[in-house]
Amino acid sequence: MMEASHLHYRPFSLPKKTGGERKIHAPEPALKMVQWSLAPFFRTMFTPAICSFGFERGRGIVENARVHVGQDWVLNADIQDFFPSISRPRLKGLFQSDWGPHVSPYMADSLARLVTHQGRLPQGAPSSPVLTNLVAANLDIRLEGLARHFGCRYSRYVDDLTFSAAGPGALREVLPRLLRIVASEGFDLNPKKTRVQPVSMRQGVTGLVLTSQKSGAEPGVSVPREFRRQTRAMLHSWRAHGLDRAAEQVGQSSEEFALSTQGRIAHICHVRCSPEAVRMKAELRQLWPSV
């Protein structure tokens, strides 16, 4: 299994919301079972930083975005090729370091082989999420310290890094230092996804929108307006044309359309249970009483 690990993965692609495709390598059942059993062991090696919100129970995109509510300026950055940038030698070294279990070089190499594909951490393996947080633990410590030094807030959701501050000056100080720290930790930032957003613009954090009194709204986190509009349109089409016809218009089966609508409304309610979200939920119950 360790000598020919590439034979134990099934590759496929998923579309990214921002365009392009995300390469997934799903392990075959036997290897997947081994990786599942190793994940709790890897988790004992570290305590997740309070600024880390990806792959941690009770923490997600909503909690990540809430860190930055009330701040006037937001800096977003994205670690490029996060999973594949974590190599087998890096993991082997980690397993022998102070962060790791201090195993022998042979055991460290064996563990690293069991959780990598073609020498890289695969996206799709059950052991990969906890390992990304383990590898990024020192990065989080350094970036949280950077944020604190300049009076900013910092959070990380998987490969999405967010800083926020009361004014632009602090973020101008943070950005060049952020680039140096990320590089020294063995990662690169995607220059196309590094951006600074003032309160006068729509401030996005991990797919959600920060709202503030200065923009005429209650401070908090919300689903983007376009997502809500599309969901309302789906409900309208269902009500006006019936489920089968509404699903046909978008090339889905009736079950797919109903479940998609239900999932979207559940997401909207989870992020912020506003009066609009409550109305959507009530309308769905009328259209689909068995929900």
Side-chain angles (χ1 to χ4, degrees):
M1 184 179 293
M2 290 185 294
E3 295 303 322
S5 64
H6 64 282
L7 300 177
H8 299 279
Y9 287 87
R10 179 174 60 86
F12 62 94
S13 298
L14 293 175
K16 293 183 179 181
K17 291 182 180 180
T18 55
E21 292 186 334
R22 189 185 308 278
K23 294 181 180 179
I24 306 295
H25 292 89
E28 296 296 338
L31 179 57
K32 185 176 183 179
M33 186 177 299
V34 172
Q35 292 172 340
W36 268 119
S37 67
L38 286 172
F41 169 64
F42 295 142
R43 192 170 292 279
T44 64
M45 296 182 190
F46 73 112
T47 300
I50 59 172
C51 57
S52 173
F53 290 87
F55 309 128
E56 298 296 341
R57 184 173 297 178
R59 306 184 196 181
I61 60 172
V62 179
E63 292 76 19
N64 179 70
R66 282 176 181 158
V67 171
H68 307 283
V69 170
Q71 298 285 77
D72 288 346
W73 289 77
V74 174
L75 165 64
N76 295 118
D78 180 270
I79 298 176
Q80 192 160 353
D81 300 324
F82 186 43
F83 281 77
S85 67
I86 300 173
S87 67
R88 181 181 298 161
R90 183 172 186 174
L91 289 170
K92 179 181 176 181
L94 186 66
F95 296 149
Q96 296 178 266
S97 72
D98 292 339
W99 289 91
H102 296 288
V103 296
S104 68
Y106 174 79
M107 182 59 70
D109 184 67
S110 298
L111 286 172
R113 286 179 180 276
L114 281 169
V115 297
T116 54
H117 170 62
Q118 296 180 342
R120 300 288 172 179
L121 194 66
Q123 193 162 358
S127 51
S128 292
V130 65
L131 286 172
T132 61
N133 282 342
L134 176 58
V135 171
N138 196 56
L139 174 70
D140 285 332
I141 291 172
R142 296 179 67 186
L143 293 185
E144 191 173 31
L146 174 66
R148 189 165 52 248
H149 180 77
F150 288 104
C152 303
R153 299 176 190 173
Y154 163 72
S155 69
R156 179 179 63 83
Y157 183 82
V158 192
D159 55 357
D160 288 317
L161 313 178
T162 305
F163 290 81
S164 61
L171 296 185
R172 280 196 294 267
E173 296 287 346
V174 162
L175 184 54
R177 293 169 174 82
L178 167 63
L179 290 168
R180 289 196 294 270
I181 290 173
V182 168
S184 70
E185 289 292 331
F187 297 111
D188 292 307
L189 293 184
N190 185 340
K192 295 180 180 179
K193 294 186 177 180
T194 302
R195 63 191 185 279
V196 176
Q197 305 166 100
V199 72
S200 57
M201 295 174 56
R202 190 179 82 164
Q203 295 176 319
V205 178
T206 49
L208 301 177
V209 176
L210 301 181
T211 57
S212 69
Q213 289 180 331
K214 292 184 179 180
S215 59
E218 180 184 349
V221 179
S222 178
V223 172
R225 184 181 293 111
E226 180 64 17
F227 186 92
R228 302 198 308 273
R229 187 195 67 76
Q230 290 171 350
T231 306
R232 289 195 303 269
M234 292 170 72
L235 285 170
H236 173 76
S237 179
W238 188 343
R239 183 176 61 252
H241 306 293
L243 176 57
D244 293 343
R245 177 60 177 157
E248 182 183 346
Q249 289 176 341
V250 293
Q252 294 181 326
S253 69
S254 297
E255 183 180 15
E256 288 172 337
F257 186 87
L259 291 174
S260 176
T261 306
Q262 180 190 32
R264 293 171 73 98
I265 292 173
H267 176 59
I268 292 170
C269 291
H270 172 65
V271 174
R272 175 182 278 185
C273 202
S274 63
E276 178 189 34
V278 172
R279 288 194 299 271
M280 287 185 185
K281 194 172 183 179
E283 186 171 357
L284 178 64
R285 286 202 188 101
Q286 291 178 347
L287 293 167
W288 199 18
S290 61
V291 68

